[in-house]
Amino acid sequence: MDVKITWLGHSAFLIDFDHYKVLLDPFLTGNSNAAIPAKKAEADLILVSHGHSDHVGDAIEISNRCHAPILCNFELSNWFAKHGAVNTMPIYVSGTRAFPFGTVRATIAVHGSGTPDGTYGGLALGFILATHDQQKKIYFAGDTGVFSEMSLIGEDAVDVALLPIGDIFVMGLSESIRALKMIRPKNVIPMHYDPGLNLEGWKREVIETSGAKPIVLRSGESFDL
Ligand code: NI
Ligand code: MN
């Protein structure tokens, strides 16, 4: 199965599984590094990792326009429904749901999940997306710090990890190296950082210490898996 991963800026990605489009954390309106405006976004399924506004983004508008369900934690799915989302799909840690392209499993993420209006938004999640033949696996970490269960994710033979590296609210560069030693992905795509950040030293360290191949995308650029 052809899998194309396109970074849309911040933590927003479009993952195309043979034309089945999965949109992750679609923060486009108000994102100065967004590759496309929200009205141009297309999706068959939308994943939202947690309730913060830079991840909820345009999920409701895109979901309703594209008839794409929003997959997220239970409390957040109730919040989405209350705010006009027609099609929501709850999931929680270690749960798996099946879709035409394959499966999505929820993982923990060490982070908050309050919604933009201050409502309790459940627990922050990460996601592992796998093609139905289990041949290609993508770990989307959401917003998180390092946690030791990343070594369990490392047992899953992850092809690509989408990892936040921007520090302050998520792990920073050196902590991301510790995470990569546990996740052991073949490739890593950084997200959730200031686009002006110089990543040359980080790329070298990733190669030398973790064995992963760093794939630094420009907003709008794609990686073919
Ligand atoms: Ni957050
Ligand atoms: Mn965030």
Side-chain angles (χ1 to χ4, degrees), residues 1-5 15-17 131 136 138 223-225:
M1 181 182 281
D2 290 333
V3 180
K4 184 190 274 286
I5 301 171
I15 307 182
D16 190 309
F17 294 90
T131 55
K136 294 183 180 177
I138 300 160
F223 172 68
D224 288 310
L225 181 60

Side-chain angles (χ1 to χ4, degrees), residues 111 143-144 164-176 191-194 197:
H111 194 72
D143 276 7
T144 188
I165 60 160
D167 219 329
I168 311 291
F169 293 112
V170 295
M171 65 183 95
L173 298 177
S174 60
E175 292 289 276
S176 75
M191 63 180 184
H192 208 287
Y193 63 96
D194 179 339
L197 191 64

Side-chain angles (χ1 to χ4, degrees), residues 10-11 25 49-55 111-114 124 142-144 169-170 192:
H10 202 58
S11 295
D25 285 0
S49 62
H50 65 288
H52 293 163
S53 56
D54 58 321
H55 299 263
H111 194 72
S113 182
D143 276 7
T144 188
F169 293 112
V170 295
H192 208 287

Side-chain angles (χ1 to χ4, degrees), residues 103-139:
T103 55
V104 178
R105 191 173 92 232
T107 72
I108 62 168
V110 179
H111 194 72
S113 182
T115 64
D117 62 10
T119 307
Y120 174 67
L123 299 177
L125 299 177
F127 299 107
I128 295 176
L129 299 86
T131 55
H132 50 64
D133 56 10
Q134 299 289 306
Q135 290 301 303
K136 294 183 180 177
K137 288 186 189 158
I138 300 160
Y139 169 47

Side-chain angles (χ1 to χ4, degrees), residues 15-36:
I15 307 182
D16 190 309
F17 294 90
D18 269 349
H19 307 299
Y20 186 97
K21 293 180 170 61
V22 182
L23 191 61
L24 296 96
D25 285 0
F27 168 51
L28 300 169
T29 303
N31 171 359
S32 59
N33 198 30
I36 53 170

